[in-house]
Amino acid sequence: DTADEVLSNWDDIKKKEKENQSWVESPLREIPPELPALTRASKILKKQDKLYEKTPDINGSISLLKQVVCDMENVVNSEEADKEKLEKNVADALLLVSNIAMKSKIHTEQLMTDEIEKIIDKYEPKCTK
């Protein structure tokens, strides 16, 4: 009768389908690694929210993102460039942005595709015949 009941029924049906399938290792590992990383991140964060612990809300994610950006600035501006720390900061930032997108119901892959096409069109406009 309600959206919550539909989701609950859907989850029950999916659990029953997967009961006897040996390839399912765990709820998070069943999300295919072949998916594009941003799509996979969104799916994993959503499942984490549901099964394990809540990811930060949008405002919490933005606050954490500001801290990560500050940390990135410190790494970049330090006398010793630490690529490992920078990579960790970039990964944290991508996950936080993915979380914001997931909670806002924004499809990150399409968004990135559209933005990339804008860059291409800016520098290499399509030829008209």
Side-chain angles (χ1 to χ4, degrees), residues 32-49:
E34 298 82 14
L35 287 174
L38 291 172
T39 297
R40 188 169 183 234
S42 180
K43 290 179 178 293
I44 285 177
L45 291 168
K46 188 175 183 179
K47 202 164 265 201
Q48 173 192 329
D49 246 5

Side-chain angles (χ1 to χ4, degrees), residues 37-38 41 45 61 64-65 68-69 71-72 83-99:
L38 291 172
L45 291 168
S61 292
L64 289 168
L65 185 58
V68 168
V69 169
D71 292 347
M72 267 194 262
K83 186 177 179 191
E84 223 173 88
K85 283 184 183 175
L86 185 58
E87 285 175 348
K88 172 74 171 111
N89 289 143
V90 170
D92 289 345
L94 288 169
L95 276 173
L96 287 165
V97 169
S98 292
N99 192 52

Side-chain angles (χ1 to χ4, degrees), residues 67-82 89:
Q67 182 60 51
V68 168
V69 169
C70 183
D71 292 347
M72 267 194 262
E73 282 182 324
N74 291 335
V75 169
V76 169
N77 294 326
S78 70
E79 291 181 20
E80 310 168 2
D82 188 338
N89 289 143

Side-chain angles (χ1 to χ4, degrees), residues 11-126:
D11 289 338
D12 290 342
I13 291 167
K14 286 301 184 185
K15 283 179 190 171
K16 286 177 186 171
E17 284 178 358
K18 294 175 184 175
E19 276 176 0
N20 298 319
Q21 295 180 359
S22 60
W23 58 268
V24 176
E25 296 176 39
S26 70
L28 297 180
R29 293 189 193 286
E30 75 182 12
I31 298 169
E34 298 82 14
L35 287 174
L38 291 172
T39 297
R40 188 169 183 234
S42 180
K43 290 179 178 293
I44 285 177
L45 291 168
K46 188 175 183 179
K47 202 164 265 201
Q48 173 192 329
D49 246 5
K50 188 175 180 182
L51 300 175
Y52 299 108
E53 66 178 306
K54 293 285 183 196
T55 57
D57 64 8
I58 293 171
N59 288 326
S61 292
I62 290 169
S63 178
L64 289 168
L65 185 58
K66 288 177 185 177
Q67 182 60 51
V68 168
V69 169
C70 183
D71 292 347
M72 267 194 262
E73 282 182 324
N74 291 335
V75 169
V76 169
N77 294 326
S78 70
E79 291 181 20
E80 310 168 2
D82 188 338
K83 186 177 179 191
E84 223 173 88
K85 283 184 183 175
L86 185 58
E87 285 175 348
K88 172 74 171 111
N89 289 143
V90 170
D92 289 345
L94 288 169
L95 276 173
L96 287 165
V97 169
S98 292
N99 192 52
I100 293 166
M102 182 264 299
K103 295 214 181 249
S104 302
K105 297 184 179 359
I106 294 171
H107 189 271
T108 52
E109 292 296 334
Q110 188 60 55
L111 195 64
M112 284 302 297
T113 298
D114 294 346
E115 289 304 305
I116 290 166
E117 287 303 314
K118 287 178 188 175
I119 292 170
I120 293 169
D121 289 345
K122 177 180 178 182
Y123 295 104
E124 299 175 358
K126 292 178 183 167

